[in-house]
Amino acid sequence: MSESEAELPTAFVGDVLLWKRWHVSLGVIVVATVAWVLFEWTSLPFLTICSDVLLILIVLLFLHANYASLRNKQPPTLPELVVSEEMVNNVAASFRVKINNMLLIAHDITIGKDFRIFFKVVICLWLLSVIGSVFSFFTLAYIGTLMMITIPALYHKYGGYVDKCCGLIHSQFSKHYRIVDESVFNRLPRNISKDKES
């Protein structure tokens, strides 16, 4: 894949996120909303809905192809989807590096080399647990999709004002974090030794 061919999908995604291709961006929101309504309000299992949608698509394509052959027309051509071995190897190598880094961080946290990181991870996991008990997975995915489509476009339009507000918020947050860091985190031991000398 040449560099110009690799830039095409990135440029397309950037155009969609910045609403330069507004019909595709609007389509993403409509599809996400329909999928969210299907998954949340109908209470149908995910596998059932996916199987039904694929079944309808396959039946429609089959009927369209056979109808075209009955009328002596050329059947519709479907693009060949081929996954190259090079692409699979690149993705696998990238995942391997990321998973090894995550396992190394998890090892450091569970061994107790840095209690501050352990404490922060526990708080983050607890917050995720609370959020997960309030929202379902599909609702979180829907909210994430809406944010992914709207926030880049809004930031592109109102970036200066957002940067100014975020700077003020960051300075206030840093001030409060310094207070908590000095009063709480600095009192926590950084290293907990396994072998205590008697």
Side-chain angles (χ1 to χ4, degrees), residues 8 19 37 54 72 97 100 125 149 163 174 185-186 190:
L8 286 176
W19 286 74
V37 167
L54 287 174
N72 294 327
V97 169
N100 283 338
L125 290 176
I149 289 293
D163 288 342
S174 296
F185 288 136
N186 284 336
R190 285 193 181 266

Side-chain angles (χ1 to χ4, degrees), residues 5-17:
E5 289 175 346
E7 288 177 4
L8 286 176
T10 307
F12 178 77
V13 170
D15 289 346
V16 170
L17 292 179

